[in-house]
Structures are given as structure tokens and as C-alpha cells.
């Protein structure tokens, strides 16, 4: 109160949602503040975003999830309250709050989505599994973390999603496009066995490839699948089947058909051409998910994440304010064997 009963109200501070994007290069924090334009610009610079359409509903969910409507006394307007993920630590100043936005996409929530994807894959629901893993991969773009452990777990989730989207694309293509082409069918079955999947799913893929190779009379190739299957310590019935196949194949180490497949030479699969890219060959990768592609596809939209550009060399996705661009850059340049 001033002299003469005059009341001087305090100067209004800056709303929390306006402060969140300040000095932040984390796209998820910009999305939480409703600053979609700047979030998209960051993603374009960091990972080569070229199709934002699949992210629309994710951005809306993140923005809505970072705010709460608090009702006051009857007749009073509803108060918009910003939600913070560090609510127990952040401080208030005359200029506003230094809190970090509460983003609804967390490492824990992504982990639950991965489990749902596993379930669909186990049940043979490939379309549902592909949709689940693809969306989970896209949601990683707006996930916010505060520790190195969380960041490592987030990168693991990205890797899992990449492998399973690749697996579903290969298997769907094998079933739908090459059902009547035995040689190409077996090639794709062989490629599928090299996706990094859960032991149960790896076992299923090896059994399928082994059976298909035997039908094609490619006994030498089938023997390789049988040996790899036995290394997974399968159930008795599956072990017995693999041993029988191995016994037959060891007595006839021949291949009736020539396959574009060499299990001894490390490779990755382009999910557009569905051809192997062997070690030492030119390769282009997605700027976000690092999915491998034939160099001729550079500049196209990634077939896995469906949002980033193939061949884009950006600063790297930022999921934390403590994260340096250099760390992500190094991750993108890991050796061929890491993918």
C-alpha cells in the first residue's frame, strides 16, 4: 500500500510457458509451450525434418499435457496453470519461474509402448506392431530427459523401434510382394534373421528362414539358420526340429539357388530396395533414426520414421538441456557394426 491508501500492484511476471523456450534447444520443450513453429525449425536443423504431418497429434498432446486448468471461486475465470517436471526444485523470481515444462512423453511411457509393440509382433499383428513402433519412434523427437541414464535409455528405445519397424517392413513385404517368388522370399526371410530382436522373435524368424531354405533345397543356407537357432537354447521341440534339419543339411552341403545373401559378411538392409548393404559399400542414413538406405535415396523421406530426410547431416537431436550437440554427432558416426 502506498500513501493515501493507494495500492500499487506488483508487476506481472512472464508466464511460465513463455519462458520455457528461452535459451532451450530442446524441441519437446518448445512443443510443450505451444511454440510449434520453433520446435519444427529445431527439428529441421537437428535431424532434417521434412514431413511434419505425422507429428501434429503428438505436438498437440504434448502442449495440452503441459498445462492444467484450475477453477477458482464461483464466477471467477479458470486459471491456466503450467506444469513443471522439476516442480520440487524450481524457483520463482520477479520475472517468472525457472521451471522446466512437464512433457507427457517420458522414457517410461515410451517403454510401455515398446512392450505393446512386442505383444503385437508376437501375435503376428504386423500392421499394428509397425504402427506402434513407428509412432513410438516419432514420439522420441519430443521426449525430454534430465540425466545421462535417461538419455541412454531413450537412445535404446530408438534403436529397438528402428529394428522392429525394419523387421515388420521386411516380413510384410516378404508375405505380400514375394509370396510367389521362392528365391526372393527366402532372401527376405534371411535378412529378417539379422534384425536385432528379442530372443523369442529371433527364434521365430530363424525357424521360418530355415524351413523356407529347406523347401528351396538350399541346404547349406538352412544349416546356418539351424545352428543359429540352436544357439538360442530353444524348447525341446524346436531343438529337435533344428537338429533334424542340420543332420540332413550336413549330408548335402549344397544350395540349389543362388541367393543375394552372405551371412559371414556383415550387412544392413535398405527398407526401400530390400537389398543388403554390405560392409564397405556406400550408404546413406536417416538424419533422425539412422536407418540405412541405398545412397540413391538421399534426400527422400525415411521409410522407417516417415518424418526425416535420408542423408541429412544435422547437429543431432536434443532431448536434454544438458546434452551437447557433439555427443549426438559422435553417436551418428558410430561404426557399421553398431547398426
Amino acid at each position: 500500500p502506498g500513501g493515501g491508501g493507494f495500492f500499487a500492484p506488483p508487476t506481472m511476471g512472464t508466464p511460465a510457458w513463455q519462458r520455457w523456450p528461452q535459451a532451450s534447444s530442446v524441441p519437446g520443450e518448445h512443443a510443450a509451450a505451444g511454440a510449434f513453429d520453433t520446435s519444427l525449425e529445431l527439428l529441421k536443423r537437428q535431424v532434417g525434418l521434412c514431413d511434419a504431418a505425422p507429428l501434429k497429434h503428438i505436438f498437440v498432446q504434448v502442449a495440452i499435457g503441459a498445462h492444467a486448468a484450475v477453477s477458482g471461486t464461483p464466477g471467477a475465470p479458470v486459471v491456466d496453470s503450467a506444469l513443471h517436471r522439476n516442480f520440487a526444485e524450481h524457483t520463482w523470481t520477479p520475472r517468472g519461474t525457472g521451471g522446466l515444462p512437464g512433457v507427457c512423453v517420458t522414457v517410461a511411457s515410451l517403454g510401455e509402448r515398446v512392450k505393446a509393440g512386442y505383444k503385437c509382433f508376437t501375435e503376428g499383428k504386423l500392421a499394428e506392431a509397425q504402427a506402434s513402433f513407428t509412432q513410438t519412434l516419432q514420439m522420441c523427437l519430443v521426449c525430454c530427459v534430465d540425466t545421462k541414464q535417461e538419455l541412454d535409455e531413450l537412445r535404446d528405445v530408438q534403436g529397438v523401434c528402428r529394428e522392429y519397424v525394419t523387421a515388420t517392413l521386411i516380413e510384410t513385404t516378404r508375405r505380400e510382394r514375394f509370396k510367389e517368388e521362392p528365391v526372393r522370399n527366402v532372401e527376405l526371410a534371411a535378412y529378417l534373421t539379422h534384425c536385432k530382436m528379442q530372443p523369442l522373435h529371433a527364434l521365430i524368424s530363424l525357424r521360418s528362414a530355415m524351413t523356407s531354405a529347406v523347401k528351396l533345397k538350399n541346404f547349406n543356407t538352412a544349416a546356418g539358420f539351424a545352428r543359429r537357432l540352436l544357439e538360442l537354447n530353444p524348447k525341446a521341440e524346436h531343438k529337435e526340429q533344428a537338429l533334424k534339419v542340420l543332420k540332413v543339411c550336413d549330408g548335402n552341403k549344397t544350395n540349389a539357388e543362388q541367393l543375394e545373401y552372405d551371412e559371414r559378411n556383415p550387412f544392413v538392409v535398405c527398407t526401400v530396395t530390400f537389398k543388403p548393404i554390405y560392409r564397405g559399400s556406400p550408404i546413406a542414413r536417416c538424419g533422425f533414426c539412422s536407418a540405412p538406405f541405398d545412397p540413391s535415396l538421399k534426400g527422400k523421406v525415411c521409410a522407417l520414421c516417415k518424418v526425416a530426410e535420408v542423408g541429412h547431416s544435422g547437429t543431432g537431436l536434443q532431448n536434454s538441456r544438458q546434452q551437447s550437440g557433439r555427443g549426438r554427432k559422435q553417436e551418428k558416426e558410430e561404426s557399421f557394426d553398431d547398426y
Side-chain angles (χ1 to χ4, degrees):
F6 176 75
F7 174 72
T11 302
M12 181 181 293
T14 305
W17 59 270
Q18 288 186 8
R19 290 177 58 86
W20 288 341
Q22 297 176 1
S24 173
S25 296
V26 181
E29 294 187 347
H30 285 250
F36 294 169
D37 289 343
T38 56
S39 181
L40 293 175
E41 282 299 319
L42 286 171
L43 289 174
K44 185 176 181 180
R45 184 168 68 246
Q46 293 175 5
V47 301
L49 180 74
C50 55
D51 186 359
L55 303 180
K56 180 178 179 180
H57 69 286
I58 297 176
F59 273 40
V60 171
Q61 289 177 355
V62 169
I64 294 175
H67 297 78
V70 181
S71 59
T73 57
V78 174
V79 178
D80 179 25
S81 178
L83 303 179
H84 297 87
R85 65 179 184 272
N86 63 334
F87 59 88
E89 303 170 1
H90 79 271
T91 56
W92 291 87
T93 68
R95 294 183 57 197
T97 174
L100 302 176
V103 178
C104 59
V105 179
T106 64
V107 174
S109 67
L110 294 176
E112 291 302 314
R113 292 184 61 87
V114 167
K115 291 178 182 178
Y118 284 156
K119 186 174 184 294
C120 290
F121 194 91
T122 302
E123 295 173 351
K125 300 176 181 178
L126 296 183
E128 290 89 337
Q130 182 181 336
S132 178
F133 283 115
T134 299
Q135 188 176 68
T136 303
L137 186 58
Q138 293 167 351
M139 293 174 75
C140 291
L141 289 167
V142 294
C143 183
C144 297
V145 298
D146 298 306
T147 66
K148 185 179 183 304
Q149 180 180 347
E150 286 183 319
L151 184 61
D152 290 341
E153 291 174 358
L154 179 61
R155 295 291 178 255
D156 288 342
V157 168
Q158 288 180 223
V160 168
C161 291
R162 181 182 63 239
E163 292 297 321
Y164 272 88
V165 174
T166 300
T168 55
L169 286 172
I170 291 175
E171 182 62 9
T172 301
T173 302
R174 184 182 76 87
R175 294 181 182 184
E176 297 178 356
R177 287 175 50 189
F178 300 109
K179 185 177 181 180
E180 305 301 327
E181 299 180 34
V183 174
R184 195 75 176 101
N185 191 288
V186 173
E187 285 179 347
L188 291 180
Y191 303 157
L192 179 62
T193 68
H194 289 267
C195 292
K196 298 175 183 177
M197 300 183 287
Q198 294 287 297
L200 172 61
H201 303 148
L203 188 148
I204 293 173
S205 68
L206 284 166
R207 286 185 64 205
S208 175
M210 179 181 70
T211 303
S212 299
V214 169
K215 290 180 179 178
L216 193 63
K217 299 187 185 304
N218 275 40
F219 299 113
N220 196 37
T221 302
F225 296 138
R227 293 189 183 93
R228 289 170 58 195
L229 193 155
L230 290 171
E231 291 174 359
L232 296 177
N233 192 27
K235 294 190 296 185
E237 57 184 295
H238 298 156
K239 181 177 181 180
E240 183 180 356
Q241 180 190 20
L243 289 172
K244 286 181 179 179
V245 169
L246 198 57
K247 183 177 180 180
V248 172
C249 295
D250 284 342
N252 185 9
K253 298 181 179 181
T254 60
N255 284 332
E257 301 287 347
Q258 181 67 37
L259 301 179
E260 192 174 353
Y261 170 66
D262 182 1
E263 66 174 338
R264 295 183 179 85
N265 189 0
F267 67 88
V268 289
V269 179
C270 172
T271 49
V272 174
T273 64
F274 292 99
K275 296 284 188 177
I277 304 174
Y278 289 99
R279 173 182 285 171
S281 302
I283 189 172
R285 292 192 180 275
C286 170
F288 164 46
C289 67
S290 295
F293 294 93
D294 185 272
S296 64
L297 296 168
K298 188 174 182 179
K300 303 293 185 181
V301 180
C302 174
L304 268 73
C305 67
K306 303 185 185 303
V307 294
E309 178 185 334
V310 175
H312 178 81
S313 180
T315 57
L317 178 62
Q318 299 283 296
N319 295 102
S320 171
R321 293 196 181 191
Q322 287 74 44
Q323 180 187 355
S324 66
R326 184 182 176 186
R328 177 58 181 154
K329 185 85 171 180
Q330 290 176 332
E331 180 183 335
K332 289 175 65 179
E333 295 173 353
E334 288 179 2
S335 68
F336 180 95
D337 293 334
D338 293 326
Y339 295 95

